[in-house]
Amino acid sequence: MPGFYVSNTALNIELKDRYPEYCIEEDILNEKMTVKRSTLNKFLDDKAFDWDGNYLIVTEGYLLNKAELFQIYKVSTVADLAREMYRQKGETFFEAFRGSFSGVFYDNTLDKWLIYTNHTGENPVFYTLFDSEFYAGSQVVYLLEALKKTNYKLHLDEDAAYQMLTFGFMERDNTYAQEIRRLRGGTYLRVEHGKAEIKEYHMFHKHPERFEGKSVDEIIDELDSAFRKAVELEYKKDEEYGYHHLADMSGGLDSRMSAWVAHEMKSRHLQLLTYCKANYLDELIAKQIAQYWKDEILVKPLDDLSFIYDIDDIVRMNAGLSFYIGITGGKRMLGNFRTENYGLEHTGMIGDVVIGSFYKDEKEAVAIKKTGRYSEKLAHRLKESDSFKSIFEDHEIYLIYTRAIQGAAITSLIRNNYTEMASPFMNTDFLQLCLDIPVKLRIDHYLYKKWILSKYPEAAKYKWEKTNARISAPNIICKIKHIINRGPNYLLRKIGKQNILAAGMNPVDYWLQRDERAKRFWDEYFNKNFPHLQEHATKQLYSDVQELYLTGNANEKAMALTVLSAAKLYF
């Protein structure tokens, strides 16, 4: 994603973005610093690039509460806001920001650098530390360019490779180079007089006392009020700039409710985007909802498997931090759609596990520690991460930070090449409220469904893709439908076949079995790029990559190919 590059050295580099024609470039160069930005030409009044000799201020992304903060601190620019908040609140002033943001603040008098990402970390910052020097930026490719210019030799982080081969994303702060790390959400890099440390300014915790003694209806009232506020903040940001509204839509509940509430709060016209298997429930349900609100909708069928061929392009965009087919048709949809006149890409990102939960029942929530991994075949190769897990209050919060944010929301690195991404479910205050709700009310979508049925009954009249039934249907009906839809698929797989109607929205295994060209592309890509990995990896790693590719399912093959592409990018 476009953004900034900063270093406390006079090392000038070229920022190589995927779509430089969509970006504005500026730099500040002197003997103490190199500061450059190549920022998306959108939401520019929410960004700062300012150096007055005392303070350097760079911000990236957007601030949902900018107008409120301007009023409180009596300022009219983001640069002045950062200066004033720093003077009054100190070095963690950005904790009061809301939205998807990152930034740099330098206090020349104290020779102190503050480089930060937002609370959830989907507006990422990567960094490299060498003695008293540092490089930091919004993209790994920025740092790779700087390290290439210094002729510094990078070393493969094999644990990062194994995280990809199991989780399908980076569980921790790794990249494929041992020398490059990523800031976790709610943290910042502090460098003062050349001494660097990573500090935490925010962490999600649970506060069960918040809803103690309150009825389910009272909890739903608070949840609904907070959700409406989160949605309205997003859509008002579009309207502040005069942008049209752009929103994802599927057959699930998350994107549906984000768009539905936006409509209920104000008369709005949305451009909806849907991508899935042709004529699958996601497409059919999304079209029905679009028709209800008289929205426009673009549908991209994925059956042509065109997204399969974008491996190097996607890995360059997301630094190989998530397996490359995870976004399926999203990159192609945005790349073929003119986004200049549209604002945020409104999504339902991670909603399923925020108002809902990773757990299906109370027993599972207590007894089972879900791993969040896509594959367990090479899990025994992972380094122990107990010390990492121990920083989180409980296992659910660990999964929120890893599977939800580090895994799912990492698609922001791709989406933000076209426009900024948003999700009301990732709003810091709304996410905190949901975590404060007892998990027993959230599991199995109990509270989620009750909220929709009580507050937005019209939205409940459309089927839920997950069950192929309305959410008002009795559980027994949903289970019967699940058995009918999914049950035969298990038997068909046993005899080497697959029920396409039950295979889901992105049945890559099914498609690959029937698309010789795509399968040949994968095999040829593997054979061509595997020798390069051998030059940098231990015998154990490249043997494991080969085995996973040769014997794995489509997701596992894609994870192996992502490692090969990343090795080519980094080394």
Side-chain angles (χ1 to χ4, degrees):
M1 57 176 278
F4 62 82
Y5 163 81
V6 61
S7 175
N8 60 349
T9 66
L11 181 68
N12 193 9
I13 65 165
E14 181 184 356
L15 302 188
K16 297 180 179 179
D17 288 307
R18 180 63 179 83
Y19 301 106
E21 64 272 24
Y22 297 160
C23 299
I24 292 177
E25 296 189 19
E26 296 179 87
D27 58 41
I28 299 168
L29 308 172
N30 59 46
E31 69 282 357
K32 294 183 66 174
M33 65 179 71
T34 302
V35 186
K36 301 174 76 74
R37 79 165 174 174
S38 177
T39 190
L40 200 64
N41 188 13
K42 285 190 172 185
F43 303 104
L44 293 180
D45 289 341
D46 281 43
K47 302 174 184 180
F49 194 77
D50 187 86
W51 165 240
D52 63 5
N54 294 315
Y55 300 119
L56 168 75
I57 301 160
V58 181
T59 63
E60 185 58 37
Y62 59 88
L63 303 179
L64 294 174
N65 61 339
K66 182 184 70 177
E68 177 186 350
L69 292 173
F70 276 9
Q71 187 174 14
I72 293 172
Y73 291 96
K74 297 179 173 53
V75 296
S76 57
T77 69
V78 171
D80 286 341
L81 176 66
R83 263 187 288 267
E84 192 58 33
M85 291 181 70
Y86 174 73
R87 291 180 186 126
Q88 294 190 34
K89 297 177 69 70
E91 69 180 40
T92 58
F93 65 91
F94 39 82
E95 183 178 7
F97 290 173
R98 292 294 183 268
S100 183
F101 60 86
S102 57
V104 180
F105 191 97
Y106 176 63
D107 184 331
N108 189 34
T109 303
L110 300 177
D111 189 25
K112 179 169 67 175
W113 294 85
L114 308 170
I115 301 153
Y116 56 89
T117 183
N118 65 328
H119 301 72
T120 41
E122 82 284 353
N123 199 303
V125 174
F126 303 93
Y127 64 92
T128 294
L129 304 175
F130 292 118
D131 299 322
S132 61
E133 298 179 359
F134 73 84
Y135 311 132
S138 304
Q139 293 195 56
V140 163
V141 292
Y142 294 169
L143 273 64
L144 291 175
E145 189 69 17
L147 293 165
K148 179 181 178 182
K149 197 164 185 177
T150 63
N151 294 315
Y152 190 87
K153 180 177 173 59
L154 296 176
H155 302 86
L156 176 64
D157 186 333
E158 296 211 352
D159 191 48
Y162 279 116
Q163 287 178 52
M164 173 54 58
L165 297 172
T166 51
F167 288 93
F169 56 87
M170 294 297 134
E171 178 201 26
R172 282 159 271 156
D173 66 348
N174 307 66
T175 73
Y176 293 87
Q178 295 177 21
E179 294 78 11
I180 302 175
R181 287 292 182 264
R182 174 186 175 183
L183 287 178
R184 174 174 55 80
T187 64
Y188 64 102
L189 170 63
R190 182 183 193 272
V191 183
E192 187 167 10
H193 298 299
K195 182 180 179 182
E197 57 182 330
I198 304 299
K199 303 199 69 163
E200 182 181 286
Y201 72 89
H202 179 270
M203 169 71 82
F204 288 103
H205 296 279
K206 294 181 178 179
H207 308 95
E209 68 278 2
R210 178 174 182 173
F211 293 107
E212 191 172 339
K214 293 190 176 183
S215 67
V216 170
D217 288 340
E218 289 174 320
I219 293 174
I220 287 175
D221 286 343
E222 287 197 40
L223 182 148
D224 185 57
S225 177
F227 189 77
R228 291 172 74 90
K229 180 179 179 181
V231 169
E232 187 66 7
L233 282 171
E234 288 185 11
Y235 280 83
K236 283 178 70 174
K237 182 57 64 176
D238 291 347
E239 291 155 6
E240 175 187 339
Y241 286 85
Y243 291 136
H244 300 307
H245 300 304
L246 181 68
D248 292 358
M249 183 57 64
S250 68
L253 301 181
D254 308 327
S255 57
R256 175 189 314 190
M257 293 314 301
S258 174
W260 199 281
V261 170
H263 277 301
E264 289 239 345
M265 297 186 73
K266 183 179 178 180
S267 177
R268 292 178 165 106
H269 181 76
L270 276 59
Q271 173 64 63
L272 303 179
L273 304 179
T274 294
Y275 42 96
C276 63
K277 174 163 49 68
N279 300 313
Y280 183 63
L281 284 171
D282 277 290
E283 176 185 342
L284 302 179
I285 297 167
K287 285 179 175 177
Q288 293 168 359
I289 293 171
Q291 184 176 9
Y292 177 87
W293 288 111
K294 300 298 185 285
D295 286 329
E296 296 177 76
I297 185 167
L298 290 177
V299 177
K300 184 188 184 327
L302 301 181
D303 307 64
D304 60 7
L305 275 183
S306 56
F307 64 91
I308 284 285
Y309 303 96
D310 291 337
I311 177 167
D312 288 339
D313 206 18
I314 288 177
V315 166
R316 181 173 181 82
M317 288 181 179
N318 75 0
L321 302 184
S322 176
F323 74 125
Y324 88 98
I325 65 169
I327 195 172
T328 57
K331 182 259 181 187
R332 290 248 171 172
M333 172 68 89
L334 290 169
N336 294 329
F337 177 75
R338 294 185 65 88
T339 59
E340 294 96 317
N341 296 323
Y342 291 89
L344 301 173
E345 182 186 2
H346 301 279
T347 74
M349 189 68 69
I350 78 168
D352 202 46
V353 295
V354 172
I355 300 181
S357 173
F358 287 96
Y359 304 114
K360 295 178 182 178
D361 54 53
E362 288 188 66
K363 182 179 179 181
E364 185 181 69
V366 173
I368 299 178
K369 299 297 184 185
K370 287 178 174 287
T371 66
R373 301 173 192 143
Y374 280 90
S375 174
E376 296 291 339
K377 290 181 179 177
L378 295 171
H380 60 287
R381 303 278 191 222
L382 288 167
K383 289 183 179 178
E384 289 296 324
S385 61
D386 288 344
S387 60
F388 172 70
K389 291 178 182 178
S390 69
I391 70 176
F392 305 105
E393 181 178 294
D394 67 11
H395 196 69
E396 184 183 26
I397 291 179
Y398 158 78
L399 290 173
I400 289 287
Y401 273 95
T402 54
R403 180 63 186 259
I405 296 173
Q406 297 271 103
I410 196 66
T411 59
S412 63
L413 280 167
I414 300 168
R415 300 172 193 269
N416 286 7
N417 284 273
Y418 307 96
T419 192
E420 301 280 356
M421 186 191 81
S423 170
F425 301 96
M426 295 183 69
N427 177 285
T428 300
D429 302 309
F430 182 75
L431 177 52
Q432 182 61 67
L433 179 144
C434 290
L435 288 172
D436 291 342
I437 297 172
V439 68
K440 67 180 180 181
L441 296 179
R442 292 185 283 111
I443 57 176
D444 200 28
H445 289 80
Y446 169 77
L447 192 72
Y448 208 149
K449 291 186 283 188
K450 195 169 180 63
W451 167 56
I452 297 172
L453 289 167
S454 64
K455 298 293 185 179
Y456 308 98
E458 288 296 312
K461 292 182 179 180
Y462 299 94
K463 285 183 177 180
W464 183 16
E465 178 272 337
K466 185 174 182 177
T467 61
N468 192 19
R470 296 182 180 182
I471 61 172
S472 56
N475 284 340
I476 186 64
I477 298 297
C478 295
K479 288 180 179 179
I480 291 172
K481 281 180 172 284
H482 180 81
I483 292 171
I484 293 172
N485 289 339
R486 307 288 183 176
N489 197 41
Y490 173 78
L491 298 176
L492 288 169
R493 284 200 308 271
K494 285 293 187 182
I495 58 173
K497 297 182 179 180
Q498 190 171 16
N499 175 11
I500 186 62
L501 295 176
M505 65 184 291
N506 304 312
V508 183
D509 278 297
Y510 175 89
W511 284 326
L512 282 172
Q513 290 172 13
R514 289 154 179 79
D515 192 325
E516 284 299 321
R517 176 172 172 262
K519 187 177 183 301
R520 185 167 61 252
F521 168 77
W522 266 12
D523 289 343
E524 290 175 353
Y525 188 95
F526 181 86
N527 291 331
K528 179 180 179 180
N529 292 285
F530 184 63
H532 180 70
L533 178 68
Q534 290 178 295
E535 297 175 18
H536 301 276
T538 61
K539 184 177 181 180
Q540 185 67 68
L541 175 60
Y542 72 73
S543 175
D544 286 338
V545 170
Q546 183 178 49
E547 180 69 15
L548 191 68
Y549 180 78
L550 293 177
T551 64
N553 59 29
N555 281 344
E556 291 168 332
K557 290 179 186 295
M559 292 189 291
L561 293 176
T562 300
V563 171
L564 297 187
S565 181
K568 184 166 59 172
L569 174 67
Y570 283 72
F571 308 102

